[in-house]
Amino acid sequence: EYNLYPIPYVRSLIFFDHPIFVYRIGVEGQSININSVIKNRKMLFKIVKNLCIFYEEKCRYNISGPKNKYIINAICEVAANAYAVYLKMPYGKKAKEMIPKFDKKLMQWSPKVYAAIDSKAIHLLRKDSFIIYTLAYFLFKLKRWKRGF
């Protein structure tokens, strides 16, 4: 979240081919551990909301070109992760009801971010008004099972 806030004021940017910092994934209790992510999902949704508000208030009409594209793509990635949390939650009515609520909120926070999400899975869920949630949930689980997770 905080790495995007200074982007409107940046004059030059360098991308390195090699990582400067390597985050150790898979350690129990880590903030990116799936159980931790599910437990703290409200924090993730607050981050998405904050980023959308930041985009709408500071970026949408004030910056253009590569900076705008970089910011919108980064926000879309965070938002896509929020959708994925629902598919990672235990199957049930609660998760099934939360996905369309989050989708509606995202549209309210930033129609531009909402429209820019480039995920076939999310577009498919939206197209069927989230009716295919059950199928999407089990396909997601099957995909993870095949990868050994």
Side-chain angles (χ1 to χ4, degrees):
E1 172 183 17
Y2 294 111
N3 64 342
L4 289 179
Y5 292 150
I7 296 299
Y9 312 101
V10 170
R11 291 186 184 185
S12 62
L13 188 65
I14 298 173
F15 287 96
F16 293 99
D17 290 335
H18 302 287
I20 296 172
F21 177 78
V22 178
Y23 194 82
R24 300 291 175 208
I25 297 175
V27 177
E28 189 65 33
Q30 236 176 352
S31 62
I32 61 165
N33 175 288
I34 186 58
N35 294 326
S36 181
V37 171
I38 290 170
K39 180 179 158 190
N40 297 307
R41 65 187 175 273
K42 287 182 182 178
M43 187 183 323
L44 176 61
F45 304 136
K46 185 176 180 180
I47 290 169
V48 174
K49 180 181 179 179
N50 291 344
L51 288 172
C52 287
I53 291 168
F54 161 72
Y55 179 76
E56 291 297 324
E57 291 179 357
K58 304 279 187 205
C59 304
R60 185 170 186 174
Y61 304 106
N62 301 325
I63 63 170
S64 60
K67 286 184 195 178
N68 193 306
K69 186 175 180 177
Y70 175 79
I71 291 170
I72 199 100
N73 287 344
I75 298 171
C76 287
E77 189 174 323
V78 176
N81 287 335
Y83 284 98
V85 168
Y86 292 116
L87 295 174
K88 294 175 183 178
M89 290 173 64
Y91 180 77
K93 185 178 177 183
K94 184 176 181 180
K96 188 175 182 176
E97 290 173 350
M98 291 173 80
I99 295 176
K101 286 180 183 178
F102 173 73
D103 191 65
K104 187 176 180 179
K105 288 281 190 188
L106 182 62
M107 176 63 158
Q108 291 170 353
W109 296 330
S110 177
K112 178 84 172 177
V113 170
Y114 180 89
I117 290 181
D118 189 27
S119 165
K120 291 177 185 174
I122 294 170
H123 288 285
L124 187 60
L125 283 166
R126 286 176 179 167
K127 185 176 181 178
D128 284 341
S129 301
F130 299 93
I131 294 169
I132 63 163
Y133 163 77
T134 302
L135 176 62
Y137 173 85
F138 287 109
L139 287 174
F140 182 80
K141 291 294 182 186
L142 179 63
K143 184 178 176 181
R144 289 183 68 204
W145 178 75
K146 284 184 176 180
R147 288 190 305 186
F149 292 97

